[in-house]
Amino acid sequence: MNSVMGLINLSEDESFITEVTQGRPLAALPFGGRYRLIDFTLSNMVNSDIANVGILLHDKFRALMDHLRSGKEWDLARKQDGLFILPPVQAEQAVLGDLQNIYQNRDYLLRSRDQYVLVSGSSSICNIDYRKALAFHVQTGADVTLIYNQMAVGDDDFIHCTTVAIDDSDRIVDMEVNAAKVKTNKVSMGMYLLDRELLIDLVDQAVARGETDFVKGIFLRNLNKIKICGFCHYGYLGRIHSIASYYRHNMALLRPEVWQELFFENGLIYTKVKDEAPTSYGVFSDVRGTLVANGCLLDGTVSDSVLFRGVKIHHQACVRDSLIMQNCEISEGAVLEHVICDKGVKITKGKRLIGEKCYPLVIKKGTVI
Amino acid sequence: MKSKECVAMILAGGQGSRLGSLTKKIAKPAVPFGGKYRIIDFTLSNCHNSGMDMVGVLTQYQPLALHNYIGIGSAWDLDRKNGGVYVLPPCLRERGGEWYKGTADAIYQNLNFIDLVQAEYVLVLSGDHIYKMNYGRMLDYHKKMRADATIAVIEVPWEEAPRFGIMNTTEDGRINEFDEKPKHPKNNLASMGVYIFNTSLLKKFLKADAIDSKSSHDFGKNVIPKMLKENCGLYAYQFFGYWKDVGTVDSFWEANMDLLNHDCQLDLYDPAWRIYSVNATRPPHYIAPTAKVKRALISEGSQIFGEVDHSVIFPGVIVGEGAQVVDSVLMPYAAIAPGAVIHKAIVCRKAVIKEGCFVGAENLSDRASEITVITENSVVSKDQKNTATSKQVG
């Protein structure tokens, strides 16, 4: 069998979602009640028989290390292969661009024995079987297979995306990073499958030419020199690139068909286990249209919201269209609408916090209001 | 292996026949409980939280699910280099092999396990009780009293005392009399089936008990009375808190319902004393806009479209639109179709209740009505009669 290794590149643009990425990288952003963004990428890899995964860290990685630890939850705490944490060799490397970061970890790529590498970021939420992409890669004889998604034109999700144009033979003929005006509806999911040795060669060449950006320096530059084909993932795609998109994709989980697809379609999504008790609903609880993780104590009114682990909603509190992260407490008489409460926020009695659907109000981690 | 001060021995081999169809295919300690746990989680978590990291689990009846569940003990942080959890089923020896004939015999047959770490004390536990207890404190008490053996006791209501082993003590806590299920109890301090023994003394009594052909090899019936007769220093350690033996369908159901009571002393939400469990990999549960949920425990991966009141819902359960679940326990992956009604019932793993079915007690206000049990993997359709009169459907 042609084996595949995973390389998760965490140099991702966080400048548009700083409200929730101050103390954590995008990859460690809480999502869907009990997950962090990276759980999807990691679980998809593991569910596609990828057993050797390197994670290229960028900065602020304490939260992520605390989440990943040995990799046991993803079955990646192995004697051979498994999870490899690859921090920047020197602190200043972080500002030199992600290409340098990969180059500095060249030894890891050289030492691995897998034939292919799947390079991915962590900000695309989906449930995908990479084995299908591999079959496509082998069948088309491509040098590189880029995974993309077709989105409806007019969707504001086109912000900060990489679009691709594809010819009849699935070959990518044009690629635009962060274009002001998009020309196609084919959006790159930031996932690339290629031969391991080819990746090492491409990285070496690009570094020699003074390139610093992985996507631009390797794929965009060589679009005409190597055969890059596009593999379409037809399922749900949640691109997390702004507070609005972060909020919207969390709320999409309230649609049972999205819940079903993202959490079950090609395999289960694993995450760090917290051993919380089941959620307790009190005599006065009125909860509807809501996703609830374990460990919550609910006695108030909640609708159209996502509640993370260990949330307390007191009697006569009212939460609507909101995202309440781990260990938050909403006291008696408080009203929240279109709010994102980061971890450990406490809303005291009777406070009213109202955001907008297109611009939810973000309460910073640990704030007491 | 390095020596350990104390080893814990969990008795988990009983069939639990009074639980009826709940234990047809699995040992009692492996029966799901409380929305995400299995019964043995409480004892194993107590061991971990009390710092007991050398734990033997004595299994015998239908052990596959239990062995599979315990694995190498990672869920309870008992996968240790030195010590950890050991599954101890009966085995063949030089002179043949035997089943465990009783609680005392089970420990007797595993004396070599205790010798492995030269433990000074042996803590004997049951794998089928629901409680949170710090065994470390009990051991401290045992040492302080310079006891030969210490027995944990709990105050039970006087009217229930005749169902238990009752300890009569002197003022300093020394046990001077042990009444097994007395008709006229002298006090209401019942044995919880939690014992600490000095290893050397325990060995002496177990060896004597093993060759006693009249003995039924039981701690409560034989070994403890014999120790008392020979004037050993037996002390009662009083436990305050929630404790329940879930040996019958009624007490199993009641213990589940106790968790829904906000005054319940068994706090599952205390981060300092977590109850650990093998966690199902499931997303958060979904409460639909059509749902109505009150007084319930609901676990991850469930989807609720109907009404749930005063019930315990395990992972992966579906309650369809317009369905009504009251005073019930729905075990993992049970599916309740739209419009079905479940009253005072225990629906086991993967059982399917078809559309429009009625399962359970007809009159909810009748507190004496029996509990209906729907067995694992069974399918209940509309033409079947599923009230308590035809208990244990499937």
Side-chain angles (χ1 to χ4, degrees):
Chain A
M1 206 195 103
N2 299 321
S3 61
V4 184
M5 62 181 283
L7 190 62
I8 304 181
N9 179 9
L10 298 189
S11 300
E12 292 169 294
D13 191 358
E14 294 158 11
S15 58
F16 302 94
I17 188 167
T18 49
E19 296 95 325
V20 282
T21 56
Q22 279 192 337
R24 51 169 89 97
L26 198 60
L29 197 55
F31 185 84
R34 65 193 288 264
Y35 303 93
R36 304 223 181 210
L37 292 191
I38 200 169
D39 292 339
F40 289 83
T41 310
L42 269 180
S43 303
N44 284 332
M45 284 184 172
V46 169
N47 291 335
S48 308
D49 300 331
I50 295 176
N52 175 16
V53 180
I55 301 187
L56 289 158
L57 300 177
H58 183 61
D59 61 354
K60 298 178 287 189
F61 41 77
R62 187 201 55 78
L64 191 68
M65 302 287 284
D66 178 43
H67 181 66
L68 296 172
R69 297 193 297 175
S70 68
K72 197 173 180 173
E73 323 274 12
W74 299 268
D75 205 19
L76 286 173
R78 321 296 318 175
K79 287 219 167 178
Q80 206 161 48
D81 292 338
L83 186 69
F84 290 84
I85 305 279
L86 311 168
V89 177
Q90 285 162 331
E92 58 266 32
Q93 231 82 56
V95 287
L96 275 177
D98 52 351
L99 194 58
Q100 275 295 333
N101 208 358
I102 298 176
Y103 184 70
Q104 297 285 358
N105 287 291
R106 202 173 168 274
D107 280 357
Y108 164 64
L109 289 170
L110 272 174
R111 255 204 328 266
S112 295
R113 297 157 303 149
D114 307 275
Q115 187 176 350
Y116 300 104
V117 188
L118 178 81
V119 187
S120 173
S122 68
S123 61
S124 291
I125 300 296
C126 62
N127 191 317
I128 184 173
D129 186 351
Y130 291 124
R131 286 169 296 197
K132 288 180 188 153
L134 178 63
F136 171 89
H137 183 74
V138 172
Q139 186 213 322
T140 54
D143 293 316
V144 178
T145 294
L146 174 154
I147 302 174
Y148 72 93
N149 188 266
Q150 299 205 42
M151 301 203 309
V153 183
D155 192 334
D156 62 351
D157 246 14
F158 283 105
I159 304 164
H160 311 305
C161 67
T162 299
T163 52
V164 289
I166 292 171
D167 71 7
D168 293 340
S169 60
D170 291 321
R171 182 157 179 177
I172 294 180
V173 290
D174 196 13
M175 188 170 176
E176 287 185 315
V177 179
N178 235 334
K181 253 188 197 164
V182 294
K183 288 185 219 140
T184 82
N185 64 338
K186 295 182 173 67
V187 171
S188 164
M189 291 168 60
M191 298 165 186
Y192 310 89
L193 182 64
L194 69 164
D195 198 275
R196 179 173 54 88
E197 282 168 9
L198 176 65
L199 175 67
I200 297 171
D201 284 349
L202 289 172
V203 169
D204 286 350
Q205 286 166 24
V207 169
R209 273 192 246 109
E211 300 282 356
T212 54
D213 189 272
F214 177 66
V215 175
K216 288 180 191 162
I218 289 195
F219 302 117
L220 203 56
R221 265 275 194 150
N222 294 313
L223 210 51
N224 301 317
K225 291 183 199 147
I226 54 175
K227 186 180 175 188
I228 305 181
C229 288
F231 172 78
C232 186
H233 169 64
Y234 290 99
Y236 187 86
L237 169 67
R239 288 179 54 243
I240 311 296
H241 56 81
S242 63
I243 277 292
S245 63
Y246 172 63
Y247 174 78
R248 191 169 60 242
H249 292 300
N250 268 292
M251 291 304 164
L253 296 172
L254 299 176
R255 284 160 27 210
E257 70 280 7
V258 176
W259 185 86
Q260 189 70 35
E261 187 195 321
L262 278 181
F263 295 125
F264 297 96
E265 183 78 13
N266 294 299
L268 302 169
I269 306 301
Y270 308 97
T271 189
K272 182 179 174 183
V273 163
K274 292 266 163 82
D275 287 290
E276 295 278 5
T279 282
S280 163
Y281 290 80
V283 187
F284 302 106
S285 77
D286 181 5
V287 179
R288 284 154 206 259
T290 293
L291 200 64
V292 188
N294 270 2
C296 297
L297 296 168
L298 309 179
D299 214 9
T301 304
V302 184
S303 63
D304 307 295
S305 298
V306 177
L307 307 182
F308 286 65
R309 294 187 271 211
V311 166
K312 286 193 186 79
I313 311 262
H314 291 273
H315 177 41
Q316 285 177 343
C318 181
V319 175
R320 282 188 290 266
D321 303 295
S322 295
L323 207 62
I324 313 292
M325 291 193 210
Q326 202 180 311
N327 296 333
C328 285
E329 186 170 353
I330 315 297
S331 308
E332 224 170 279
V335 177
L336 274 67
E337 214 175 294
H338 295 114
V339 172
I340 298 176
C341 286
D342 205 329
K343 283 167 78 172
V345 163
K346 189 174 179 201
I347 310 292
T348 56
K349 280 185 186 174
K351 301 292 181 296
R352 287 176 63 86
L353 297 159
I354 315 286
E356 274 298 323
K357 191 177 179 182
C358 56
Y359 200 89
L361 180 64
V362 181
I363 319 284
K364 276 191 190 142
K365 191 171 167 179
T367 312
V368 179
I369 295 185
Chain B
M1 203 177 280
K2 278 190 221 159
S3 62
K4 299 256 177 199
E5 187 183 30
C6 182
V7 291
M9 303 289 270
I10 303 179
L11 300 161
Q15 183 183 350
S17 52
R18 287 175 303 156
L19 277 177
S21 51
L22 288 175
T23 50
K24 212 156 110 189
K25 296 217 176 95
I26 48 174
K28 181 156 73 163
V31 170
F33 176 84
K36 74 171 271 198
Y37 307 100
R38 296 201 187 221
I39 293 170
I40 199 169
D41 284 335
F42 289 82
T43 310
L44 284 172
S45 300
N46 284 342
C47 283
H48 166 74
N49 289 326
S50 308
M52 303 281 167
D53 60 359
M54 182 78 180
V55 181
V57 182
L58 293 88
T59 64
Q60 176 158 283
Y61 171 79
Q62 287 278 22
L64 178 66
L66 187 56
H67 289 185
N68 179 19
Y69 185 69
I70 293 170
I72 57 166
S74 334
W76 307 271
D77 216 5
L78 288 170
D79 51 336
R80 309 301 299 268
K81 283 229 178 210
N82 186 47
V85 74
Y86 293 76
V87 173
L88 305 168
C91 60
L92 281 176
R93 289 159 216 272
E94 234 177 335
R95 294 191 197 158
E98 273 182 300
W99 294 112
Y100 295 149
K101 286 173 285 184
T103 51
D105 182 53
I107 304 290
Y108 172 72
Q109 289 199 37
N110 286 289
L111 285 177
N112 56 353
F113 174 73
I114 296 163
D115 289 340
L116 202 63
V117 287
Q118 293 148 18
E120 233 173 296
Y121 306 103
V122 180
L123 168 67
V124 178
L125 304 163
S126 296
D128 50 7
H129 295 161
I130 305 296
Y131 65 124
K132 287 165 64 170
M133 179 178 183
N134 191 334
Y135 305 131
R137 283 198 203 135
M138 179 171 166
L139 183 60
D140 291 344
Y141 176 83
H142 177 81
K143 285 192 266 187
K144 192 180 117 200
M145 301 314 278
R146 297 172 193 274
D148 290 318
T150 301
I151 301 171
V153 294
I154 186 165
E155 219 176 278
V156 293
W158 278 96
E159 64 273 19
E160 284 182 33
R163 298 199 296 123
F164 293 95
I166 297 297
M167 304 286 159
N168 297 316
T169 60
T170 59
E171 260 175 31
D172 65 348
R174 185 161 174 164
I175 300 166
N176 52 16
E177 202 184 353
F178 174 74
D179 282 344
E180 179 72 13
K181 300 188 177 135
K183 266 188 195 141
H184 305 289
K186 288 180 199 150
N187 75 65
N188 59 345
L189 289 179
S191 165
M192 295 162 64
V194 174
Y195 312 103
I196 291 176
F197 298 102
N198 290 350
T199 308
S200 53
L201 179 94
L202 179 69
K203 273 189 186 168
K204 187 181 125 197
F205 276 87
L206 287 184
K207 278 175 186 160
D209 177 73
I211 50 171
D212 180 357
S213 58
K214 281 181 227 143
S215 170
S216 52
H217 311 289
D218 186 87
F219 276 109
K221 274 188 215 132
N222 312 102
V223 178
I224 302 292
K226 192 133 186 253
M227 282 180 172
L228 273 176
K229 216 165 138 193
E230 296 192 12
N231 219 11
C232 294
L234 266 62
Y235 283 82
Y237 173 76
Q238 194 171 351
F239 171 75
F240 300 92
Y242 183 91
W243 176 84
K244 195 144 193 154
D245 177 351
V246 285
T248 62
V249 173
D250 284 350
S251 65
F252 173 82
W253 179 83
E254 273 167 28
N256 274 286
M257 294 302 126
D258 283 346
L259 299 175
L260 302 171
N261 181 353
H262 275 282
D263 304 326
C264 179
Q265 286 174 295
L266 191 77
D267 179 9
L268 297 176
Y269 300 87
D270 177 9
W273 201 279
R274 278 187 205 278
I275 303 303
Y276 297 94
S277 180
V278 176
N279 287 272
T281 303
R282 295 283 135 182
H285 65 261
Y286 175 65
I287 307 291
T290 50
K292 211 173 141 191
V293 180
K294 275 195 191 341
R295 300 187 295 168
L297 274 191
I298 302 186
S299 209
E300 287 167 336
S302 292
Q303 290 174 292
I304 313 294
F305 297 90
E307 190 187 331
V308 175
D309 184 21
H310 203 249
S311 295
V312 175
I313 314 282
F314 282 75
V317 168
I318 295 182
V319 176
E321 199 173 331
Q324 192 196 42
V325 178
V326 184
D327 294 345
S328 295
V329 178
L330 307 184
M331 289 192 186
Y333 310 104
I336 314 300
V341 177
I342 317 286
H343 281 175
K344 203 173 180 178
I346 298 168
V347 180
C348 292
R349 242 180 117 80
K350 291 187 180 168
V352 177
I353 312 296
K354 292 272 178 97
E355 214 150 316
C357 279
F358 181 91
V359 171
E362 276 168 16
N363 184 1
L364 272 179
S365 51
D366 177 12
R367 298 202 60 169
S369 62
E370 274 192 77
I371 297 148
T372 306
V373 179
I374 307 292
T375 55
E376 212 174 305
N377 292 314
S378 54
V379 178
V380 178
S381 51
K382 212 173 173 183
D383 38 334
Q384 278 169 276
K385 189 169 161 54
N386 306 305
T387 51
T389 43
S390 60
K391 215 178 156 186
Q392 289 166 23
V393 183

